[in-house]
Amino acid sequence: MSEIAPLVTEAVMTEAGAGVDELPPAPGKTTTTVAMDFRRISLPSDLILYLFGTPGQERFWFMWDDLVRGAIGAVVLADTRRLDACFAAMDFFEARGLPYVVGVNSFDGARRHDLDEVREAMELPAGTPLRYCDARESTVEMLVVLVRHAMARAS
Amino acid sequence: MTSGAGPERSPRVRPYTMTRGRTRTGVALAVETLVETASGADPRGAPQEQQAICRLCVRPISVAEVSARIALPLGVVRVLLDDMAGDGLVVLHVASTDRPDLALMERVLDGLQRL
């Protein structure tokens, strides 16, 4: 019965399905056939959080409309070496009014840029959170930032 | 539930006769919308396929599953379910298309922070 309440919360991870793997108890499963990653996290607050990771390339967009339905928000993972690859994802979420935050990859020796410069380069709307993010470690933090942002927008 | 909509349903009945030609529903029913037989629902006197749906949905299942299990096209099932909801036979748990509400997000936030 608890499944009836709108418990499904989704975070769409773009550009690098990585990261969600490292979340603590994840008795989830992975679907690989369509290059989509899926994790389920049981939260201590008696909720089940669903995370969907999908690549940002245009050829995967056919899935996105379903993924954003009822979702809390999205995390766009950006690589400073090719920021332009995020623009389409950002446009997509903005057009649908879905709150999103941007995590800038800080792994693999990617050059650290000043976040303000990154924000400017991305023309990120003011108020949209931007954080450095090692997708292998700080996924939960990014999700907290995202939920806070979504709540701020909703209230 | 092997009987399902079962043997009594003649395959010669065209689906559109069950819906009296209608193809649209009042509410948008997604394939994943959960259907549950209303408590105290009395389907006696209802058409056979509606009775079958009532038996099927004692535990909530999705619109897609109802369609598959009683072997009727999705569009037909949607119309039937819409009718049945109107008659108080089933309850449709239509998910909000809006964003999750604040209370839910607070619980998610709380849960994430306690991980």
Side-chain angles (χ1 to χ4, degrees), chain A residues 4-35:
Chain A
I4 290 174
L7 297 184
V8 181
T9 54
E10 301 168 345
V12 181
M13 314 287 263
T14 63
E15 276 302 295
V20 280
D21 303 31
E22 276 65 47
L23 283 166
K29 56 182 178 180
T30 314
T31 54
T32 53
T33 47
V34 289

Short mmCIF file of all heavy atoms in Angstrom, two decimals, chain A residues 4-35:
data_model
loop_
_atom_site.label_atom_id
_atom_site.label_comp_id
_atom_site.label_asym_id
_atom_site.label_seq_id
_atom_site.Cartn_x
_atom_site.Cartn_y
_atom_site.Cartn_z
N ILE A 4 1.52 3.35 -3.02
CA ILE A 4 0.53 4.18 -3.69
C ILE A 4 0.82 5.66 -3.51
O ILE A 4 0.65 6.44 -4.43
CB ILE A 4 -0.88 3.84 -3.16
CG1 ILE A 4 -1.25 2.47 -3.65
CG2 ILE A 4 -1.88 4.87 -3.63
CD1 ILE A 4 -2.52 1.96 -3.09
N ALA A 5 1.29 6.00 -2.35
CA ALA A 5 1.64 7.40 -2.14
C ALA A 5 2.74 7.76 -3.13
O ALA A 5 3.49 6.89 -3.55
CB ALA A 5 2.13 7.59 -0.72
N PRO A 6 2.78 9.00 -3.54
CA PRO A 6 3.78 9.37 -4.55
C PRO A 6 5.18 9.35 -3.96
O PRO A 6 5.79 10.36 -3.72
CB PRO A 6 3.36 10.77 -4.97
CG PRO A 6 2.62 11.31 -3.80
CD PRO A 6 1.98 10.14 -3.14
N LEU A 7 5.69 8.15 -3.74
CA LEU A 7 6.98 8.03 -3.09
C LEU A 7 8.13 8.15 -4.07
O LEU A 7 9.26 8.30 -3.68
CB LEU A 7 7.10 6.64 -2.44
CG LEU A 7 6.12 6.34 -1.32
CD1 LEU A 7 6.42 5.00 -0.73
CD2 LEU A 7 6.19 7.42 -0.26
N VAL A 8 7.79 8.03 -5.33
CA VAL A 8 8.87 7.95 -6.30
C VAL A 8 9.49 9.32 -6.51
O VAL A 8 8.83 10.27 -6.89
CB VAL A 8 8.35 7.42 -7.64
CG1 VAL A 8 9.50 7.33 -8.64
CG2 VAL A 8 7.73 6.07 -7.44
N THR A 9 10.73 9.38 -6.18
CA THR A 9 11.43 10.63 -6.38
C THR A 9 12.61 10.31 -7.27
O THR A 9 13.30 9.34 -7.08
CB THR A 9 11.93 11.20 -5.06
OG1 THR A 9 12.69 10.19 -4.42
CG2 THR A 9 10.78 11.59 -4.19
N GLU A 10 12.81 11.14 -8.24
CA GLU A 10 13.81 10.80 -9.22
C GLU A 10 14.84 11.90 -9.34
O GLU A 10 14.52 13.06 -9.26
CB GLU A 10 13.15 10.60 -10.59
CG GLU A 10 12.13 9.53 -10.59
CD GLU A 10 11.31 9.55 -11.86
OE1 GLU A 10 11.36 10.54 -12.57
OE2 GLU A 10 10.64 8.56 -12.10
N ALA A 11 16.05 11.50 -9.50
CA ALA A 11 17.08 12.46 -9.85
C ALA A 11 17.65 12.00 -11.17
O ALA A 11 18.04 10.86 -11.30
CB ALA A 11 18.16 12.50 -8.79
N VAL A 12 17.63 12.86 -12.10
CA VAL A 12 18.18 12.48 -13.39
C VAL A 12 19.64 12.93 -13.43
O VAL A 12 19.94 14.09 -13.30
CB VAL A 12 17.41 13.16 -14.54
CG1 VAL A 12 18.00 12.74 -15.87
CG2 VAL A 12 15.95 12.79 -14.45
N MET A 13 20.50 11.97 -13.53
CA MET A 13 21.91 12.32 -13.61
C MET A 13 22.30 12.31 -15.07
O MET A 13 22.12 11.32 -15.76
CB MET A 13 22.75 11.28 -12.88
CG MET A 13 22.20 10.91 -11.52
SD MET A 13 22.45 12.20 -10.35
CE MET A 13 23.92 11.59 -9.59
N THR A 14 22.85 13.39 -15.53
CA THR A 14 23.20 13.41 -16.94
C THR A 14 24.71 13.44 -17.10
O THR A 14 25.44 13.71 -16.15
CB THR A 14 22.61 14.65 -17.64
OG1 THR A 14 23.20 15.80 -17.05
CG2 THR A 14 21.12 14.70 -17.49
N GLU A 15 25.13 13.18 -18.28
CA GLU A 15 26.52 13.32 -18.68
C GLU A 15 27.45 12.25 -18.15
O GLU A 15 28.46 11.97 -18.71
CB GLU A 15 27.09 14.69 -18.30
CG GLU A 15 26.77 15.73 -19.30
CD GLU A 15 27.31 15.34 -20.65
OE1 GLU A 15 28.52 15.25 -20.82
OE2 GLU A 15 26.48 15.07 -21.52
N ALA A 16 27.16 11.68 -17.03
CA ALA A 16 28.02 10.62 -16.51
C ALA A 16 27.20 9.83 -15.52
O ALA A 16 26.97 10.25 -14.43
CB ALA A 16 29.24 11.21 -15.82
N GLY A 17 26.73 8.72 -15.91
CA GLY A 17 25.88 7.93 -15.03
C GLY A 17 26.62 7.54 -13.76
O GLY A 17 26.06 6.90 -12.89
N ALA A 18 27.86 7.91 -13.66
CA ALA A 18 28.68 7.48 -12.53
C ALA A 18 28.18 8.07 -11.23
O ALA A 18 27.40 9.00 -11.21
CB ALA A 18 30.12 7.90 -12.75
N GLY A 19 28.67 7.50 -10.15
CA GLY A 19 28.42 8.18 -8.89
C GLY A 19 27.36 7.52 -8.06
O GLY A 19 27.59 7.23 -6.89
N VAL A 20 26.24 7.26 -8.67
CA VAL A 20 25.17 6.68 -7.87
C VAL A 20 25.57 5.31 -7.35
O VAL A 20 25.01 4.83 -6.38
CB VAL A 20 23.86 6.58 -8.67
CG1 VAL A 20 23.18 7.91 -8.69
CG2 VAL A 20 24.12 6.09 -10.06
N ASP A 21 26.54 4.71 -7.99
CA ASP A 21 26.99 3.38 -7.55
C ASP A 21 27.50 3.41 -6.12
O ASP A 21 27.43 2.41 -5.42
CB ASP A 21 28.15 2.90 -8.43
CG ASP A 21 27.78 2.87 -9.89
OD1 ASP A 21 26.96 3.70 -10.30
OD2 ASP A 21 28.29 2.02 -10.59
N GLU A 22 28.03 4.55 -5.74
CA GLU A 22 28.72 4.58 -4.45
C GLU A 22 27.79 4.85 -3.28
O GLU A 22 28.23 4.94 -2.16
CB GLU A 22 29.80 5.66 -4.48
CG GLU A 22 31.11 5.20 -5.08
CD GLU A 22 30.99 4.86 -6.55
OE1 GLU A 22 30.41 5.64 -7.29
OE2 GLU A 22 31.46 3.78 -6.93
N LEU A 23 26.52 4.99 -3.56
CA LEU A 23 25.62 5.28 -2.47
C LEU A 23 25.49 4.08 -1.55
O LEU A 23 25.53 2.95 -2.03
CB LEU A 23 24.25 5.67 -3.01
CG LEU A 23 24.25 7.10 -3.53
CD1 LEU A 23 23.04 7.36 -4.37
CD2 LEU A 23 24.31 8.08 -2.39
N PRO A 24 25.31 4.35 -0.29
CA PRO A 24 25.30 3.27 0.69
C PRO A 24 24.38 2.08 0.37
O PRO A 24 24.63 1.40 -0.60
CB PRO A 24 24.92 4.00 1.98
CG PRO A 24 25.29 5.41 1.76
CD PRO A 24 25.27 5.66 0.30
N PRO A 25 23.35 1.84 1.16
CA PRO A 25 22.68 0.57 0.91
C PRO A 25 21.86 0.68 -0.36
O PRO A 25 20.88 1.39 -0.39
CB PRO A 25 21.77 0.42 2.13
CG PRO A 25 21.60 1.78 2.67
CD PRO A 25 22.67 2.66 2.14
N ALA A 26 22.30 0.06 -1.38
CA ALA A 26 21.60 0.18 -2.66
C ALA A 26 21.25 -1.20 -3.18
O ALA A 26 21.96 -1.78 -3.98
CB ALA A 26 22.46 0.92 -3.67
N PRO A 27 20.15 -1.74 -2.67
CA PRO A 27 19.75 -3.06 -3.15
C PRO A 27 19.10 -2.95 -4.51
O PRO A 27 18.17 -3.66 -4.83
CB PRO A 27 18.75 -3.52 -2.10
CG PRO A 27 18.15 -2.26 -1.59
CD PRO A 27 19.18 -1.17 -1.74
N GLY A 28 19.57 -2.04 -5.30
CA GLY A 28 18.94 -1.80 -6.60
C GLY A 28 19.51 -2.69 -7.67
O GLY A 28 20.23 -3.63 -7.42
N LYS A 29 19.18 -2.36 -8.85
CA LYS A 29 19.70 -3.12 -9.97
C LYS A 29 20.09 -2.15 -11.07
O LYS A 29 19.74 -0.99 -11.04
CB LYS A 29 18.65 -4.11 -10.46
CG LYS A 29 17.36 -3.42 -10.84
CD LYS A 29 16.33 -4.41 -11.29
CE LYS A 29 15.03 -3.68 -11.60
NZ LYS A 29 13.97 -4.55 -12.05
N THR A 30 20.80 -2.63 -12.01
CA THR A 30 21.25 -1.78 -13.10
C THR A 30 20.64 -2.26 -14.39
O THR A 30 20.62 -3.44 -14.67
CB THR A 30 22.78 -1.85 -13.24
OG1 THR A 30 23.34 -1.74 -11.95
CG2 THR A 30 23.28 -0.74 -14.12
N THR A 31 20.12 -1.33 -15.13
CA THR A 31 19.72 -1.70 -16.47
C THR A 31 20.75 -1.12 -17.41
O THR A 31 21.09 0.05 -17.33
CB THR A 31 18.33 -1.14 -16.82
OG1 THR A 31 18.35 0.25 -16.58
CG2 THR A 31 17.26 -1.79 -15.97
N THR A 32 21.26 -1.94 -18.26
CA THR A 32 22.36 -1.48 -19.09
C THR A 32 21.98 -1.38 -20.55
O THR A 32 22.64 -0.73 -21.32
CB THR A 32 23.55 -2.45 -18.99
OG1 THR A 32 23.07 -3.76 -19.28
CG2 THR A 32 24.15 -2.41 -17.61
N THR A 33 20.90 -2.00 -20.92
CA THR A 33 20.60 -2.10 -22.34
C THR A 33 20.36 -0.76 -23.00
O THR A 33 20.65 -0.59 -24.18
CB THR A 33 19.36 -2.99 -22.57
OG1 THR A 33 18.35 -2.58 -21.66
CG2 THR A 33 19.69 -4.44 -22.33
N VAL A 34 19.81 0.19 -22.25
CA VAL A 34 19.57 1.48 -22.87
C VAL A 34 20.48 2.54 -22.25
O VAL A 34 20.16 3.70 -22.22
CB VAL A 34 18.09 1.91 -22.73
CG1 VAL A 34 17.23 1.05 -23.63
CG2 VAL A 34 17.64 1.85 -21.29
N ALA A 35 21.60 2.09 -21.74
CA ALA A 35 22.57 3.02 -21.18
C ALA A 35 21.96 3.87 -20.08
O ALA A 35 22.22 5.05 -19.98
CB ALA A 35 23.18 3.91 -22.26
#
